[in-house]
Amino acid sequence: MAHNHEARLLQVNGIVQGVGFRPFVYQLALRHGLKGEVANTSSGVSIHIEGPADRLRAFESDLTGKGPPLAYIVEVTSRSDIVKHFSDFRITASRGEASMATLISPDVAVCGDCLREMFDPADRRYRYPFINCTNCGPRYTIIDDIPYDRPKTSMRHFTMCAACQAEYDNPLDRRFHAQPNACPVCGPRVGLWDARREAMGLGDPIAAAAELIRQGKIVAVKGLGGYHLAADAMNAAAVARLRERKLREEKPFAVMSPDLEAMRTYAVVEPGDEKLLLSIQRPIVLLLKKKPHLLAEEVAPGNLHVGAMLPYTPLHHLLLREGFAALVMTSGNLSEEPIAIDNDDAFGRLARIADYFLVHNRDIYLRSDDSVVRRAAGETRFLRRSRGYVPVPVFLKHALPPILACGAELKNTVCIAKGDKAFISQHIGDLENLATYEFFQKTVAHMQRILGVRPEVIACDLHPDYLSTRWADEQEAIPKVRVQHHHAHIVSGMAEHQLEGTVIGIACDGTGYGPDGTVWGGEVLVADAGGFERAAHLACVPMPGSAAAIKEPWRMAVSYLQDAFGAGLWGLDLPVLREAGSEKVRLMLEMAARQLNSPLTSSLGRLFDGVAAIAGLRSRVTYEGQAAMELEMAAVDETESAYDYAWEEGAPCRLLPAPIILGVVGDVGKGLGAPAISAKFHNTLILMFRDLCDVIRRQRGLNRVVLSGGVFQNARLLTGLIPALSTRGFEVYSHRLVPANDGGISLGQAVVAATRIEHRS
Ligand code: ZN
Ligand code: ZN
Ligand code: FE
């Protein structure tokens, strides 16, 4: 046997600390009858292993194939080592300045083992809402510094009892080095309070909260990354009250159901959705509502979809098992403010919304909203990438210098690049109020701390008035790189697919600052990571009233009608014009003609708005993207016909909206409804972009097309355009790791900045 006795040294990099990786290695070594040692190092986990060669090979293959659920192995290097004749296999103390370069795990759902224990009356953690182990529970939201050890988390206020400590110290226990380990004797507790912050009587606070929700009350529930506002999703009056108090008219609420069976009473759950719903990240998944369904219409008014999720904290499981088919679980905030995490903050800001508060005393150090995904064109698409996914990095093709990218204005995220990894923050929100701006600053500081990064360069948007741009300007000692919004969109797509060289980039969204002083948003770029050329764009029209034109799509309708018909507009008999009244229409035309508060825009988002208004779907919106979303939902018609489209050659080409508008108006005149008009409009965009890409390919010899920007959250457009381009031989790249919307911008900014810096030196 001794003749084939060998030793190997393995170095494992990735998310391998704080996730039970060393105990896993320990048990694996025992199972294969091997000897040696395992230790945490500054860059991951180091394993010295010795024994017969065939067993070493088996060990190595199991190491990558059978790791613990939260481990994420990026790389294993393996080389032969000298045989040291270990007498056993052991876990040794951490070496050196531990953890500086290791990755922190995201917060994930409570695992099956913990759930079984929680519902076992004989278990010492029976019904304990903070049960967790190395395979599950909070991570990112309870850390305020590295290395990831209990004193650096919000668990530092709780001293483990003897039983918990014994689990924590035992390498064979599921709770070996589980930093948030706790039990009813030593750990955090829940309490139920009224809106005046007085504790409610005796008994089980969770059961009492459930009873109040059943009675139609609104209860603020402290979760993993922040507070939710909970209401019975089948109780129309309760949900309506929540809307009124939260100042949220129609923007859909997410719901949580105890299990898939309950979810299937109101939504269509396909196998792909099921996998996402059950994943340890537990995102909100956009599902088609069933007809008929039992959800209150107020949950997602006028919407074919509902965002649903399964419980992910032990507390959620206990609450949902009190007999609810679905609870509204919406972010605990006033409309557009960041979600409340702090108990004081929650009572301060939510007291007018919630009747009661289900609180606990484990602090949340960093808020993280629920992630939102949808399946489209055969892939998972992020609408919001946050809890459960952050801080898993996007792996880049090349190492970058330390860069901080500040993101866009809406759906803001920030990104810190470090080596070949780009860490995109959780969803920060719309940087339009002080509370969100403070959250932005806090997140920047927090991420720098836990990643151990001092940025050498700051990337930001070209827009001089964005709060994120202004913040960047204040960081005086650090050089800045300003990145055009749509260029950042395309490069974020290139980065996640590790594309190099030059691509055709179709970047379509609502708003982005253009260097020519117009509002961009229907852009076809020829781009690489350092720069871009505007190959084509939607021809500009005025936005009468600027921001008001975003809230009132009828204004865009007037603008597009004027563009297509000129004075002939007055001869049109259209519902949208009748509803507005000739006086208001005249006012819009005058504002536009005199260029009063009427910036020019090439935004495709605005064209969606205008067409939605002309088709009679919606003249005013109550949340961003509502008209475009409703136009997409309207497109149930299977027609393959399309409107005429045309562009004016030039540098750049101008894609003309007029032929499309003429077609839409003609159809409205013929009495065609929104389903057919919307389907034809979508078909038109698909054909137009396909043909345009053909022309650009002939001129430039480019064969790769990247699709980015908020418009590509539109499943119908994405599902149509990808095959339309692929059947013409294009390689098409769309987002799978980061959102197509402005939540993905920071990644593109970081890569553009790095490329420009490199070329400068
Ligand atoms: Zn667990
Ligand atoms: Zn304990
Ligand atoms: Fe955008």
Side-chain angles (χ1 to χ4, degrees):
M1 188 182 143
H3 67 278
N4 70 349
H5 206 77
E6 292 176 8
R8 297 200 69 80
L9 185 65
L10 309 177
Q11 179 65 38
V12 188
N13 298 326
I15 301 177
V16 288
Q17 293 185 10
V19 294
F21 201 78
R22 284 176 304 159
F24 155 71
V25 170
Y26 176 84
Q27 287 169 46
L28 197 63
L30 294 190
R31 199 176 328 136
H32 288 284
L34 296 166
K35 289 167 184 168
E37 63 178 349
V38 57
N40 281 343
T41 66
S42 63
S43 60
V45 164
S46 167
I47 305 165
H48 173 93
I49 190 94
E50 48 188 60
D54 54 334
R55 291 200 208 160
L56 290 177
R57 273 193 301 276
F59 173 89
E60 280 192 47
S61 96
D62 282 357
L63 185 72
T64 46
K66 293 179 182 164
L70 292 194
Y72 184 91
I73 296 174
V74 176
E75 185 190 35
V76 181
T77 58
S78 168
R79 60 179 175 83
S80 68
D81 204 354
I82 42 167
V83 177
K84 293 177 185 166
H85 301 289
F86 275 84
S87 59
D88 57 6
F89 193 88
R90 56 187 91 130
I91 296 176
T92 48
S94 298
R95 287 202 201 113
E97 270 295 292
S99 308
M100 291 307 284
T102 54
L103 303 176
I104 292 165
S105 163
D107 307 279
V108 296
V110 56
C111 72
D113 290 331
C114 285
L115 270 185
R116 265 188 296 283
E117 289 169 356
M118 185 173 74
F119 287 113
D120 175 3
D123 194 274
R124 71 187 189 92
R125 291 189 179 86
Y126 179 57
R127 293 185 63 85
Y128 181 58
F130 302 93
I131 189 168
N132 68 81
C133 70
T134 44
N135 299 328
C136 74
R139 295 285 187 282
Y140 181 61
T141 53
I142 60 164
I143 296 172
D144 73 349
D145 207 347
I146 47 169
Y148 174 56
D149 262 324
R150 192 151 166 131
K152 300 289 170 68
T153 72
S154 61
M155 288 302 293
R156 63 172 154 239
H157 307 298
F158 304 95
T159 308
M160 277 186 274
C161 67
C164 286
Q165 188 70 49
E167 295 166 336
Y168 184 91
D169 293 334
N170 176 6
L172 291 175
D173 195 279
R174 212 172 80 245
R175 297 190 169 89
F176 176 68
H177 284 205
Q179 305 304 345
N181 191 26
C183 78
V185 174
C186 66
R189 287 154 198 240
V190 287
L192 183 64
W193 301 67
D194 68 15
R196 285 166 314 183
R197 212 170 173 169
E198 278 167 31
M200 306 274 295
L202 300 164
D204 177 355
I206 296 174
E211 180 52 34
L212 290 164
I213 294 171
R214 254 194 302 277
Q215 289 166 16
K217 303 292 187 206
I218 296 163
V219 179
V221 179
K222 189 171 180 179
L224 195 56
Y227 271 84
H228 281 119
L229 290 160
D232 183 353
M234 310 288 169
N235 182 334
V239 183
R241 203 171 323 117
L242 178 55
R243 284 206 173 275
E244 218 177 276
R245 292 189 191 166
K246 202 173 138 80
L247 307 177
R248 180 148 143 166
E249 288 175 69
E250 293 172 307
K251 194 174 176 183
F253 284 147
V255 297
M256 183 183 277
S257 285
D259 47 39
L260 290 168
E261 197 189 340
M263 208 174 268
R264 286 203 167 93
T265 62
Y266 59 84
V268 182
V269 184
E270 289 177 2
D273 302 318
E274 194 172 312
K275 223 172 122 193
L276 282 168
L277 287 161
L278 291 169
S279 68
I280 56 173
Q281 292 85 6
R282 287 290 198 283
I284 295 171
V285 182
L286 226 53
L287 303 171
L288 209 57
K289 284 180 187 166
K290 265 189 182 154
K291 277 183 205 166
H293 62 80
L294 297 168
L295 287 182
E297 178 58 22
E298 287 77 1
V299 170
N303 206 311
L304 295 179
H305 299 102
V306 61
M309 62 183 148
L310 292 173
Y312 53 88
T313 68
L315 191 151
H316 292 151
H317 282 276
L318 292 167
L319 182 63
L320 268 294
R321 286 209 188 181
E322 294 287 328
F324 298 104
L327 290 182
V328 166
M329 288 289 260
T330 185
S331 309
N333 55 11
L334 272 169
S335 204
E336 313 308 331
E337 281 187 359
I339 183 169
I341 52 171
D342 189 55
N343 291 355
D344 289 334
D345 183 33
F347 279 100
R349 288 201 287 143
L350 304 180
R352 273 165 303 150
I353 307 177
D355 301 302
Y356 298 93
F357 289 77
L358 189 59
V359 303
H360 62 70
N361 57 348
R362 187 179 72 199
D363 291 337
I364 300 169
Y365 283 154
L366 199 63
R367 66 169 59 78
S368 195
D369 287 81
D370 294 319
S371 294
V372 187
V373 300
R374 128 183 245 191
R375 287 187 315 118
E379 302 273 2
T380 303
R381 314 287 178 175
F382 281 97
L383 304 182
R384 184 199 286 163
R385 182 183 181 273
S386 208
R387 178 198 42 82
Y389 300 96
V390 173
V392 176
V394 171
F395 295 93
L396 305 169
K397 184 139 187 182
H398 298 293
L400 307 186
I403 291 177
L404 165 66
C406 299
E409 177 91 328
L410 300 179
K411 300 183 168 68
N412 180 273
T413 63
V414 298
C415 173
I416 288 185
K418 178 183 173 182
D420 60 355
K421 299 174 191 76
F423 296 88
I424 302 163
S425 73
Q426 72 278 32
H427 169 80
I428 294 173
D430 299 348
L431 284 180
E432 294 172 329
N433 58 60
L434 190 63
T436 315
Y437 183 53
E438 282 169 356
F439 179 29
F440 165 86
Q441 291 171 294
K442 195 175 170 190
T443 303
V444 168
H446 188 268
M447 284 185 68
Q448 291 183 11
R449 199 162 58 240
I450 64 166
L451 296 170
V453 171
R454 293 269 120 226
E456 287 167 14
V457 181
I458 294 181
C460 62
D461 198 90
L462 268 184
H463 201 306
D465 298 331
Y466 279 4
L467 282 177
S468 51
T469 308
R470 290 201 197 158
W471 180 87
D473 285 339
E474 286 164 16
Q475 315 307 306
E476 283 168 0
I478 309 172
K480 260 73 76 180
V481 176
R482 290 170 193 278
V483 183
Q484 201 281 326
H485 186 98
H486 301 93
H487 184 215
H489 268 308
I490 296 305
V491 178
S492 76
M494 292 174 70
E496 73 161 79
H497 290 283
Q498 303 196 336
L499 301 182
E500 295 183 296
T502 307
V503 301
I504 301 172
I506 307 182
C508 295
D509 59 6
T511 303
Y513 186 86
D516 62 354
T518 66
V519 179
W520 288 19
E523 313 304 316
V524 182
L525 311 179
V526 167
D528 60 31
F532 72 95
E533 193 185 314
R534 200 182 189 195
H537 64 87
L538 205 61
C540 286
V541 299
M543 292 167 70
S546 196
I550 299 174
K551 295 206 172 88
E552 300 180 8
W554 70 268
R555 292 175 185 240
M556 290 313 301
V558 172
S559 201
Y560 283 113
L561 290 169
Q562 152 76 23
D563 174 73
F565 293 90
L569 174 153
W570 292 108
L572 298 173
D573 180 30
L574 289 170
V576 65
L577 295 176
R578 281 202 303 275
E579 196 195 311
S582 59
E583 205 159 312
K584 277 188 167 175
V585 171
R586 199 179 309 274
L587 183 68
M588 290 309 117
L589 294 175
E590 233 175 80
M591 280 172 74
R594 294 216 236 139
Q595 297 170 27
L596 286 172
N597 192 22
S598 301
L600 292 173
T601 188
S602 58
S603 159
L604 185 58
R606 295 292 84 75
L607 181 60
F608 266 88
D609 285 355
V611 170
I614 297 170
L617 275 174
R618 180 166 283 281
S619 290
R620 287 178 173 72
V621 299
T622 63
Y623 61 91
E624 194 233 337
Q626 186 180 17
M629 217 171 75
E630 289 179 3
L631 190 63
E632 178 195 349
M633 287 191 301
V636 288
D637 201 289
E638 291 300 319
T639 178
E640 279 179 22
S641 64
Y643 298 117
D644 288 337
Y645 53 93
W647 61 76
E648 221 173 73
E649 293 292 343
C653 288
R654 292 166 69 241
L655 307 167
L656 303 175
I660 301 174
I661 297 295
L662 287 169
V664 172
V665 169
D667 278 350
V668 174
K670 282 183 229 153
L672 237 64
I677 292 174
S678 176
K680 287 171 76 175
F681 175 64
H682 281 86
N683 295 346
T684 312
L685 295 178
I686 291 162
L687 297 177
M688 182 174 74
F689 283 129
R690 181 198 67 184
D691 292 351
L692 185 66
C693 286
D694 264 341
V695 170
I696 297 173
R697 173 164 59 185
R698 272 202 300 279
Q699 291 168 347
R700 310 291 187 102
L702 299 173
N703 200 47
R704 296 176 300 172
V705 183
V706 174
L707 309 177
S708 189
V711 165
F712 288 107
Q713 295 172 101
N714 181 318
R716 181 156 183 130
L717 190 61
L718 202 60
T719 310
L721 188 54
I722 292 173
L725 288 167
S726 343
T727 50
R728 289 279 175 102
F730 287 100
E731 290 167 43
V732 189
Y733 299 92
S734 54
H735 287 286
R736 292 179 308 197
L737 302 180
V738 301
N741 63 40
D742 289 2
I745 285 267
S746 57
L747 171 62
Q749 288 176 340
V751 175
V752 172
T755 311
R756 295 230 189 109
I757 292 290
E758 193 182 314
H759 289 196
R760 223 179 271 168
S761 55

